[in-house]
Amino acid sequence: MPAKLTRRPALRRAASASVLTLALLGAGLPVAAAESPAPGLSRFYAQKVAWGACDGPDMPRDLQCGKVTVPLDYAHPGGATLDLALARYRATGTPHGSLLLNFGGPGAPGVAQLAASGKAFMDLTNGYDVVTFDPRGVGRSSPVSCGAGQDPAADAAASDPELDIRRPQALLTRLRQSAELCAKYSGPVVKHMGTVDAARDMDVIRQALGRKKLDYLGFSYGTRLGAVYAAEFPHKVGHMALDGVDTLTEPLSEQGRAGAEGQQTALDSFIDWCTSDVGCPFGQDPRAARDQVVRLVRSLDANPVPTDFGGTFSGQDLVGAIGQGLYSKQLWPSLERALASLMEDGDTRRVLSFATGGITAPPRSDGGSGGKGGQHTGLVATQDVPVDNLPAALLAINCADDPDRPSDARVTKDLKDLRSAYDEASPVFGRYRLTQLLMCYGRPKGTDYIRDEVKDVPSARMLLIGTRGDPATPYRWTVETAARLGDSAVVLDNKGDGHTGYASSKCVHRKVDDFLLYGSLPPDGSSCPADGNAWSSPVEGDE
């Protein structure tokens, strides 16, 4: 599947209805519940997916791959296009349709995730072809990059280890430079990322799969994507389950603080678990171990170590890696071994795999990514995904979804208070999260559609799952989002721990399957007990 951008001549004619539709799209107002696509989009909705063998050494034989083509800019569908990578496991019997998965992130590559975690979804193949995709800018779909290293937020933080609030103008200058690098290395796709466009892409995918309505399972950020799809296309919603519900209203500043607090709680639990094991690299004293983690991060920020890929590994890279490893208890033994390899042997390979979301390929030799397809021999291209694609895509999507762009004066004024609040939330994750928040500085203002318009959705009823001990998406976001969506939302309360419930709770797994396969919704407000981890999580770390 070539991850490419293709130029096509502009359409010469358009019916008056099409002109009106495109004007609305250009204004950022989606066309909800349209019975048929606008004339300018008809050729995209006429596609059928051609499935075939997947390229790549790690692709299971029974996984099939394909692609769909979508407009780069929905306001100008006659212009450039891009290809989105798809993958599927066929139904074991006669399917009653296709179920679309999104693994979250934002920035998680669906194709690679389904290849690695397909066993968690085999129950759903009793009635579905289980399908996933790499959203625009992600994985094999014109992947974005910031070019500088493994993580643009970590790079920016590492360039100023103390995030010196006494020199705000120097910090803002670096942030502007970072935004310019991301735009340079990502190509034109970075200007058209964000959940509103991704939801429109999903509707093209729905039609290409031959479905009148979309059946969908979204994790973490994927719940935001599902909610936006439901708002844009309410009459196209079939069975939709949203697990680990994201906020639709909180600004990035509050999301970051809440995320730092949740990750610190998870880190404390990990340290308690680790120090009960004689092999824990931090020893057996939990309090001393917590101090060691902080000292290790600061030491690596001051003196980054080299990696096998020619770059360096900083304390902020370590923070990102630890954050990824905390989302499921099933990952804790691997995280413990990775940290031991780093501390005892200076070996960054294992911990770097966490830092890059499991993508360990080196950056492209030409330094670029988005908009340039590689050579391919099958339906999914054998191409290098930039090592920083996950964090680069996460920032691009979150910034595209957030309309807040404070002035220089406001950033300078708020920086001291923000630093204090974030450090209080977490001495380990606070600065990383604050730098990630500041990375939207210098980028174009995001859409206000999600915050202002995704509410009171008149769709079929959707199942929302919130986990009480979730370190990334607090349970209150499930309650708030359900109230915002209105009568279409049904809440399932998972009493367990970890990020999302489908892979960690047999009860949640069963209730989600019953809804998706048979339309059997649990009563609103029903719950699942904490029953331990059933499987390793298929879900990427979230913002």
Side-chain angles (χ1 to χ4, degrees), residues 88 112 188 197 215 236 282 302 479:
R88 75 171 178 181
D197 278 330
D215 290 346
K236 301 295 185 183
F282 302 112
V479 176

Side-chain angles (χ1 to χ4, degrees), residues 300 303-307 311-314 342 346-348:
L300 285 170
N303 299 287
V305 296
T307 73
T312 58
F313 188 81
S314 71
L342 175 67
D347 187 346
T348 63

Side-chain angles (χ1 to χ4, degrees), residues 331-407:
L331 298 175
W332 288 7
S334 296
L335 179 61
E336 179 187 28
R337 291 191 293 271
L339 290 168
S341 294
L342 175 67
M343 296 175 66
E344 295 167 7
D345 304 321
D347 187 346
T348 63
R349 287 174 295 178
R350 287 182 172 180
V351 74
L352 183 60
S353 180
F354 281 102
T356 59
I359 300 170
T360 55
R364 295 172 59 98
S365 59
D366 63 3
S369 57
K372 298 180 179 180
Q375 295 297 317
H376 65 100
T377 56
L379 289 172
V380 174
T382 302
Q383 67 169 63
D384 293 333
V385 176
V387 73
D388 71 329
N389 178 239
L390 176 60
L394 182 150
L395 288 171
I397 294 166
N398 279 342
C399 294
D401 286 359
D402 190 88
D404 297 332
R405 294 294 185 275
S407 65

Side-chain angles (χ1 to χ4, degrees), residues 214-259:
L214 180 73
D215 290 346
Y216 176 79
L217 173 56
F219 297 101
S220 194
Y221 160 77
T223 68
R224 188 198 313 170
L225 181 55
V228 172
Y229 179 89
E232 292 192 76
F233 306 98
H235 301 301
K236 301 295 185 183
V237 173
H239 295 162
M240 181 173 285
L242 308 178
D243 184 6
V245 181
D246 199 359
T247 181
L248 299 173
T249 57
E250 284 193 351
L252 286 178
S253 57
E254 177 54 29
Q255 291 181 46
R257 192 205 61 78

Side-chain angles (χ1 to χ4, degrees), residues 1-8 43-44 47 67-74 77 79-86 133-138 140-144 186-193 197-198 201 204 370-372:
M1 200 272 334
K4 66 179 183 180
L5 292 170
T6 306
R7 284 284 169 192
R8 296 181 181 269
R43 64 190 175 96
F44 300 104
Q47 298 176 84
K67 69 174 185 178
V68 296
T69 302
V70 295
L72 174 66
D73 183 353
Y74 276 88
T81 66
L82 57 89
D83 292 333
L84 304 180
L86 276 69
F133 67 110
D134 288 353
R136 54 175 61 209
V138 173
R140 302 172 184 229
S141 300
S142 296
V144 295
S186 295
V189 69
V190 75
K191 295 181 180 179
H192 301 282
M193 292 179 67
D197 278 330
D201 292 342
V204 175
K372 298 180 179 180

